């Protein structure tokens, strides 16, 4: 209530004409502000949140939080001047779940600065030497564990990869998790924690560390609503030419990776499937590294370029209100 009061004052005092919200939880606040002030409402990164929280076990379906946000998702969908979704599939979801068919519906995935994440960041020799990664097969993960992300399953995959490649295998783990947390997961998986380089770094340094990888992993739980999300890390991985290990049915990305031979798809979370994914990555790493980079980098240019965002925002804002 305090936030709504303060933002209402801010909107009126500064003659703000548009309330532009990222994701439906922020859109819930934006909805009330739009009602109070009469300003136009735009929902960006429009994807399911309420159902996602139930699917990943954070909320219960009979909880007040779930019911309230689901209702607010429908109300903001109806009121919004424009909806900017992460995937095309969100159009059908809105029709089915919210009974909303919106005329001003746009698709803009999480876009990536391909100038920042670029070839110049590949295999920085100084960093490789500093982290003892020279001549190693390096898996990169940038993100957290828990919530929408797998925990034990991620480390079970690392264990299979470690058994397959032996001492050649290493992990660069870019996250705010503590070393004790990582050690706990390693113990449960029977994985040697010394093969993991845990770093919590500013985003400006992420391309250098991510570029140390030979492949990457996106351990998003494949709950139904994840068809409508857009993991920004995938665009960053693609821009750096990294093959990705990813579960089936994550955003449009799983299909893109499969159809472009740009990684390995996890159809289940059994040791045999992890091993198949590792073997697939091993096969991809035998390709010419420059050709592989160019082939996968093109996916970032096609599916995650800032030009996509430029075109969407030009459509939304270009003709004014």
């Amino acid at each position: 209530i305090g936030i709504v009061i303060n933002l209402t004052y801010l909107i009126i005092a500064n003659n703000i004409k548009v309330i532009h919200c990222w994701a439906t939880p922020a859109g819930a606040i934006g909805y009330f502000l739009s009602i109070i002030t009469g300003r136009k409402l735009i929902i960006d990164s429009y994807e399911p949140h309420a159902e996602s929280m139930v699917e990943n076990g954070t909320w219960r379906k009979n909880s007040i939080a779930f019911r309230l946000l689901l209702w607010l998702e429908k109300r903001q969908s109806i009121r919004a001047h424009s909806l900017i979704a992460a995937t095309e599939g969100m159009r059908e979801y809105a029709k089915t779940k919210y009974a909303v068919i919106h005329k001003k519906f746009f698709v803009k995935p999480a876009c990536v600065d391909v100038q920042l994440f670029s070839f110049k960041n590949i295999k920085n020799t100084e960093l490789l030497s500093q982290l003892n990664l020279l001549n190693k097969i390096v898996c990169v993960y940038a993100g957290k564990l828990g919530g929408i992300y797998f925990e034990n399953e991620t480390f079970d995959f690392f264990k299979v990869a470690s058994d397959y490649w032996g001492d050649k295998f290493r992990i660069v783990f870019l996250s705010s998790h503590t070393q004790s947390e990582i050690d706990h997961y390693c113990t449960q998986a029977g994985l040697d924690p010394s093969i993991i380089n845990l770093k919590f770094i500013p985003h400006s340094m992420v391309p250098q560390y991510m570029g140390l990888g030979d492949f990457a992993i996106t351990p998003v739980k494949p709950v139904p609503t994840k068809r409508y999300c857009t993991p920004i890390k995938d665009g960053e991985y693609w821009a750096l030419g990294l093959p990705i290990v990813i579960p089936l049915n994550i955003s449009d990305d799983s299909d893109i990776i499969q159809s472009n031979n740009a990684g390995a798809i996890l159809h289940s979370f059994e040791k045999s499937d992890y091993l198949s994914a590792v073997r697939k990555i091993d096969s991809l790493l035998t390709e010419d590294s420059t050709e592989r980079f160019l082939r996968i980098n093109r996916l970032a240019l096609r599916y995650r370029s800032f030009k996509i965002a430029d075109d969407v925002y030009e459509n939304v804002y270009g003709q004014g209100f």
Side-chain angles (χ1 to χ4, degrees), residues 139-157:
C139 177
V140 172
Y141 177 57
K144 60 184 179 180
L145 302 164
I148 67 169
Y149 298 101
F150 281 119
E151 298 169 271
N152 294 325
E153 293 85 350
T154 303
F155 285 80
D156 289 341
F157 171 81

Side-chain angles (χ1 to χ4, degrees), residues 173-213:
F173 205 104
L174 306 177
S175 180
S176 61
H177 285 288
T178 65
Q179 187 63 55
S180 62
E181 289 175 301
I182 299 302
D183 290 346
H184 172 72
Y185 289 119
C186 286
T187 298
Q188 290 188 312
L191 181 69
D192 180 359
S194 69
I195 71 170
I196 299 179
N197 284 280
L198 177 64
K199 299 291 179 184
F200 183 46
I201 53 177
H203 187 259
S204 60
M205 295 175 65
V206 168
Q208 300 173 51
Y209 282 83
M210 195 179 278
L212 300 175

Side-chain angles (χ1 to χ4, degrees), residues 5-39:
I5 292 171
N6 289 333
L7 289 179
T8 299
Y9 171 78
L10 183 73
I11 289 166
I12 294 170
N14 293 277
N15 194 27
I16 292 169
K17 294 182 172 61
V18 181
I19 302 167
H20 191 124
C21 305
W22 264 265
T24 58
I29 296 173
Y31 169 74
F32 289 116
L33 292 170
S34 178
I35 293 287
I36 294 166
T37 65
R39 282 6 183 222

Side-chain angles (χ1 to χ4, degrees), residues 85-143:
T87 66
E88 178 61 36
M90 188 62 192
R91 191 192 303 268
E92 184 61 28
Y93 183 92
K95 178 181 176 181
T96 303
K97 295 291 183 176
Y98 310 141
V100 171
I101 302 174
H102 208 292
K103 292 181 179 179
K104 294 195 174 183
F105 182 97
F106 304 92
V107 177
K108 176 190 66 68
C111 298
V112 172
D113 185 348
V114 294
Q115 302 302 317
L116 180 62
F117 290 81
S118 69
F119 188 78
K120 68 178 183 290
N121 300 118
I122 301 299
K123 295 292 184 181
N124 181 298
T125 305
E126 184 179 337
L127 265 183
L128 286 172
S129 178
Q130 180 184 323
L131 299 177
N132 296 315
L133 298 176
L134 289 168
N135 301 314
K136 302 297 184 182
I137 295 173
V138 180
C139 177
V140 172
Y141 177 57

Side-chain angles (χ1 to χ4, degrees), residues 37-51:
T37 65
R39 282 6 183 222
K40 288 199 166 49
L41 176 68
I42 293 173
I43 307 297
D44 206 331
S45 293
Y46 177 61
E47 61 184 65
H49 188 82
E51 280 207 332

